[in-house]
Amino acid sequence: FYSIRGLNFLLMKRYVEAEKQLNLALKMNPSDILCLTNRACVYCETGRYREALVDAQRAISLAARGSIPHCVAGTCYLKCGQYKYALQYLDKAVQINFKNSEALYMRAVTCEKLGLKERAAKDFAAARALGYKPGESYNEEL
C-alpha cells in the first residue's frame, strides 16, 4: 500500500508525500528494490544526490532487473560533475533497456560534457525518437 502510494505521489511530483510513503514501505521491507528505486528518484528530483546514489546502488546490489536504478545513479554522478562515473552507469542503463529514453538523454548530456559530440548527437536523436521530453520521467515496465 505504502509503496503504491509513494509511486503515485512520485508520478504527481509530490515529493514530500512520496518520500514519507516510501519510507514507511521500506520500514516494512528494507530490501524492496522498487521502493529503493522510487525513493532514489525522489532524492534525485529534490537534489539530494548522495542519498539518491545510496538507494540506487543498494537497489543495484540487490539485483535490480530494470534500468532505472542505473539511470538514477548516472544522473546523480552527472549532476555532481563526475562524468566518467555517470557514463558507466548510463551505459549500463541503456544496455539493460535501450528504450529508456531518459537514460539515453542523460547519457547524451554526459557525452557532451566529455566532448563526445557525435555520440551525444546519436543519443539525443534516439531519445527524441522514443518521445523523450526534458522534465518527464521514464516509466519502465518489468
Side-chain angles (χ1 to χ4, degrees):
F1 176 75
Y2 295 123
S3 174
I4 293 168
R5 286 186 73 187
L7 174 59
N8 285 330
F9 282 128
L10 173 61
L11 293 173
M12 292 186 294
K13 300 182 186 236
R14 292 173 54 184
Y15 302 120
V16 172
E17 294 100 324
E19 182 181 349
K20 287 178 185 177
Q21 296 303 309
L22 294 166
N23 285 339
L24 290 169
L26 286 164
K27 279 184 186 178
M28 298 169 73
N29 184 0
S31 297
D32 185 315
I33 293 170
L34 293 175
C35 284
L36 285 165
T37 301
N38 288 335
R39 190 171 70 177
C41 290
V42 168
Y43 290 151
C44 190
E45 289 291 334
T46 56
R48 294 159 58 193
Y49 303 121
R50 181 168 292 173
E51 292 166 283
L53 194 54
V54 168
D55 277 359
Q57 289 177 330
R58 174 118 170 91
I60 291 166
S61 74
L62 292 168
R65 297 182 306 151
S67 64
I68 294 175
H70 297 278
C71 184
V72 173
T75 300
C76 290
Y77 280 120
L78 169 63
K79 299 285 185 177
C80 294
Q82 296 185 26
Y83 307 124
K84 290 182 182 182
Y85 291 118
L87 188 57
Q88 290 173 1
Y89 280 97
L90 293 166
D91 278 343
K92 184 66 174 176
V94 173
Q95 178 187 355
I96 292 169
N97 182 354
F98 65 92
K99 291 183 178 182
N100 185 333
S101 58
E102 187 172 17
L104 282 164
Y105 180 83
M106 291 301 172
R107 188 171 75 173
V109 172
T110 302
C111 286
E112 270 190 336
K113 299 285 187 184
L114 291 169
L116 306 170
K117 294 181 192 246
E118 287 180 29
R119 189 171 175 197
K122 286 181 186 177
D123 281 349
F124 279 130
R128 275 192 305 275
L130 290 168
Y132 180 75
K133 294 178 183 118
E136 287 187 10
S137 296
Y138 175 75
N139 296 316
E140 184 171 55
E141 292 183 29
L142 297 177

